[in-house]
Short mmCIF file of all heavy atoms in Angstrom, two decimals:
data_model
loop_
_atom_site.label_atom_id
_atom_site.label_comp_id
_atom_site.label_asym_id
_atom_site.label_seq_id
_atom_site.Cartn_x
_atom_site.Cartn_y
_atom_site.Cartn_z
N CYS F 292 -37.81 37.49 33.81
CA CYS F 292 -38.55 37.91 35.12
C CYS F 292 -40.06 37.97 34.99
O CYS F 292 -40.71 37.93 36.05
CB CYS F 292 -37.96 39.25 35.54
SG CYS F 292 -36.27 39.18 36.10
N ARG F 293 -40.60 37.93 33.81
CA ARG F 293 -42.09 38.07 33.75
C ARG F 293 -42.74 36.89 32.97
O ARG F 293 -43.90 36.62 33.24
CB ARG F 293 -42.29 39.39 32.87
CG ARG F 293 -41.85 40.65 33.57
CD ARG F 293 -42.04 41.93 32.62
NE ARG F 293 -41.57 43.04 33.22
CZ ARG F 293 -42.08 43.79 34.18
NH1 ARG F 293 -43.23 43.46 34.63
NH2 ARG F 293 -41.43 44.90 34.62
N ALA F 294 -42.13 36.26 32.04
CA ALA F 294 -42.73 35.36 31.16
C ALA F 294 -43.21 34.07 32.00
O ALA F 294 -42.50 33.55 32.77
CB ALA F 294 -41.89 34.85 30.05
N PRO F 295 -44.49 33.62 31.85
CA PRO F 295 -44.96 32.54 32.61
C PRO F 295 -44.34 31.17 32.30
O PRO F 295 -44.39 30.22 33.23
CB PRO F 295 -46.43 32.44 32.18
CG PRO F 295 -46.57 33.22 30.84
CD PRO F 295 -45.49 34.19 30.90
N GLN F 296 -43.72 31.03 31.14
CA GLN F 296 -43.13 29.75 30.92
C GLN F 296 -41.92 29.33 31.76
O GLN F 296 -41.38 28.22 31.70
CB GLN F 296 -42.73 29.67 29.39
CG GLN F 296 -41.57 30.52 28.90
CD GLN F 296 -42.16 31.82 28.29
OE1 GLN F 296 -43.20 32.29 28.66
NE2 GLN F 296 -41.51 32.27 27.27
N TYR F 297 -41.34 30.36 32.48
CA TYR F 297 -40.26 30.03 33.36
C TYR F 297 -40.72 29.81 34.81
O TYR F 297 -39.86 29.65 35.71
CB TYR F 297 -39.29 31.23 33.36
CG TYR F 297 -38.75 31.53 31.92
CD1 TYR F 297 -39.11 32.56 31.22
CD2 TYR F 297 -37.87 30.54 31.36
CE1 TYR F 297 -38.61 32.87 29.94
CE2 TYR F 297 -37.32 30.82 30.08
CZ TYR F 297 -37.72 31.96 29.36
OH TYR F 297 -37.30 32.15 28.09
N ALA F 298 -42.02 29.61 35.10
CA ALA F 298 -42.60 29.37 36.38
C ALA F 298 -42.03 28.10 36.99
O ALA F 298 -41.73 28.07 38.25
CB ALA F 298 -44.08 29.33 36.41
N ASP F 299 -41.76 27.09 36.18
CA ASP F 299 -41.23 25.81 36.66
C ASP F 299 -39.82 25.98 37.25
O ASP F 299 -39.39 25.09 38.02
CB ASP F 299 -41.20 24.69 35.59
CG ASP F 299 -42.64 24.36 35.22
OD1 ASP F 299 -43.54 24.62 35.98
OD2 ASP F 299 -42.85 23.78 34.05
N ALA F 300 -39.12 27.02 36.93
CA ALA F 300 -37.75 27.14 37.45
C ALA F 300 -37.65 27.88 38.75
O ALA F 300 -36.66 28.03 39.42
CB ALA F 300 -36.97 27.96 36.41
N VAL F 301 -38.78 28.43 39.28
CA VAL F 301 -38.85 29.15 40.44
C VAL F 301 -38.26 28.40 41.70
O VAL F 301 -37.59 28.98 42.52
CB VAL F 301 -40.22 29.64 40.74
CG1 VAL F 301 -40.33 30.27 42.21
CG2 VAL F 301 -40.65 30.72 39.72
N GLU F 302 -38.59 27.20 41.74
CA GLU F 302 -38.08 26.33 42.98
C GLU F 302 -36.89 25.60 42.63
O GLU F 302 -36.34 24.88 43.52
CB GLU F 302 -39.23 25.35 43.26
CG GLU F 302 -40.49 26.03 43.83
CD GLU F 302 -40.29 26.83 45.06
OE1 GLU F 302 -39.39 26.45 45.87
OE2 GLU F 302 -40.93 27.88 45.12
N ALA F 303 -36.24 25.73 41.45
CA ALA F 303 -35.06 25.02 41.09
C ALA F 303 -33.80 25.87 41.38
O ALA F 303 -33.89 27.14 41.63
CB ALA F 303 -35.09 24.68 39.57
N ARG F 304 -32.66 25.23 41.40
CA ARG F 304 -31.40 25.91 41.36
C ARG F 304 -31.15 26.31 39.88
O ARG F 304 -31.13 25.44 39.02
CB ARG F 304 -30.27 25.10 41.88
CG ARG F 304 -30.26 24.93 43.41
CD ARG F 304 -28.99 24.47 44.00
NE ARG F 304 -29.06 24.63 45.46
CZ ARG F 304 -29.53 23.69 46.30
NH1 ARG F 304 -29.95 22.57 45.78
NH2 ARG F 304 -29.52 23.88 47.56
N VAL F 305 -30.96 27.61 39.62
CA VAL F 305 -31.03 28.06 38.25
C VAL F 305 -29.69 28.59 37.88
O VAL F 305 -29.01 29.43 38.64
CB VAL F 305 -32.13 29.12 38.11
CG1 VAL F 305 -32.19 29.69 36.70
CG2 VAL F 305 -33.47 28.60 38.51
N ARG F 306 -29.24 28.31 36.62
CA ARG F 306 -28.23 28.98 35.90
C ARG F 306 -28.92 29.88 34.86
O ARG F 306 -29.60 29.34 33.98
CB ARG F 306 -27.27 28.02 35.28
CG ARG F 306 -26.15 28.67 34.36
CD ARG F 306 -25.03 27.70 33.98
NE ARG F 306 -25.70 26.61 33.17
CZ ARG F 306 -24.99 25.58 32.79
NH1 ARG F 306 -23.66 25.44 33.07
NH2 ARG F 306 -25.56 24.55 32.06
N VAL F 307 -28.61 31.15 34.82
CA VAL F 307 -29.18 32.10 33.97
C VAL F 307 -28.20 32.52 32.93
O VAL F 307 -27.09 32.94 33.24
CB VAL F 307 -29.75 33.29 34.65
CG1 VAL F 307 -30.27 34.25 33.67
CG2 VAL F 307 -30.91 32.85 35.67
N VAL F 308 -28.57 32.54 31.60
CA VAL F 308 -27.71 33.06 30.54
C VAL F 308 -28.48 34.31 30.01
O VAL F 308 -29.58 34.14 29.29
CB VAL F 308 -27.45 32.06 29.40
CG1 VAL F 308 -26.60 32.65 28.28
CG2 VAL F 308 -26.81 30.73 30.01
N LEU F 309 -28.03 35.45 30.23
CA LEU F 309 -28.72 36.64 29.81
C LEU F 309 -28.24 37.00 28.41
O LEU F 309 -27.02 37.00 28.08
CB LEU F 309 -28.47 37.84 30.69
CG LEU F 309 -29.19 37.84 32.11
CD1 LEU F 309 -28.84 39.03 32.83
CD2 LEU F 309 -30.68 37.62 31.91
N THR F 310 -29.18 37.37 27.52
CA THR F 310 -28.89 37.66 26.13
C THR F 310 -29.03 39.14 25.78
O THR F 310 -29.04 39.52 24.67
CB THR F 310 -29.68 36.83 25.23
OG1 THR F 310 -31.06 37.07 25.41
CG2 THR F 310 -29.38 35.34 25.32
N ASP F 311 -29.18 39.92 26.88
CA ASP F 311 -29.32 41.40 26.66
C ASP F 311 -28.02 41.90 26.00
O ASP F 311 -26.96 41.45 26.24
CB ASP F 311 -29.54 42.15 27.93
CG ASP F 311 -30.77 41.65 28.65
OD1 ASP F 311 -30.74 40.61 29.35
OD2 ASP F 311 -31.80 42.35 28.60
N GLU F 312 -28.21 42.99 25.12
CA GLU F 312 -27.07 43.50 24.47
C GLU F 312 -26.11 43.99 25.52
O GLU F 312 -24.89 43.81 25.34
CB GLU F 312 -27.50 44.74 23.59
CG GLU F 312 -26.31 45.32 22.87
CD GLU F 312 -26.73 46.54 22.02
OE1 GLU F 312 -27.96 46.58 21.72
OE2 GLU F 312 -25.98 47.37 21.58
N VAL F 313 -26.59 44.71 26.53
CA VAL F 313 -25.73 45.21 27.68
C VAL F 313 -26.22 44.51 28.96
O VAL F 313 -27.43 44.44 29.14
CB VAL F 313 -25.76 46.71 27.74
CG1 VAL F 313 -24.92 47.24 28.89
CG2 VAL F 313 -25.33 47.36 26.40
N LEU F 314 -25.15 44.06 29.73
CA LEU F 314 -25.71 43.50 31.01
C LEU F 314 -26.39 44.43 31.86
O LEU F 314 -25.92 45.53 32.22
CB LEU F 314 -24.38 42.93 31.76
CG LEU F 314 -24.69 42.19 33.07
CD1 LEU F 314 -25.40 40.85 32.81
CD2 LEU F 314 -23.40 41.94 33.83
N PRO F 315 -27.67 44.21 32.12
CA PRO F 315 -28.49 45.13 32.99
C PRO F 315 -27.93 45.37 34.40
O PRO F 315 -27.31 44.48 34.96
CB PRO F 315 -29.89 44.47 32.99
CG PRO F 315 -29.91 43.46 31.87
CD PRO F 315 -28.57 43.00 31.74
#
Side-chain angles (χ1 to χ4, degrees):
C292 289
R293 299 177 184 277
Q296 64 262 36
Y297 300 107
D299 290 343
V301 169
E302 295 303 321
R304 286 196 170 88
V305 181
R306 173 172 60 185
V307 176
V308 180
L309 287 182
T310 57
D311 300 79
E312 179 181 342
V313 179
L314 183 64

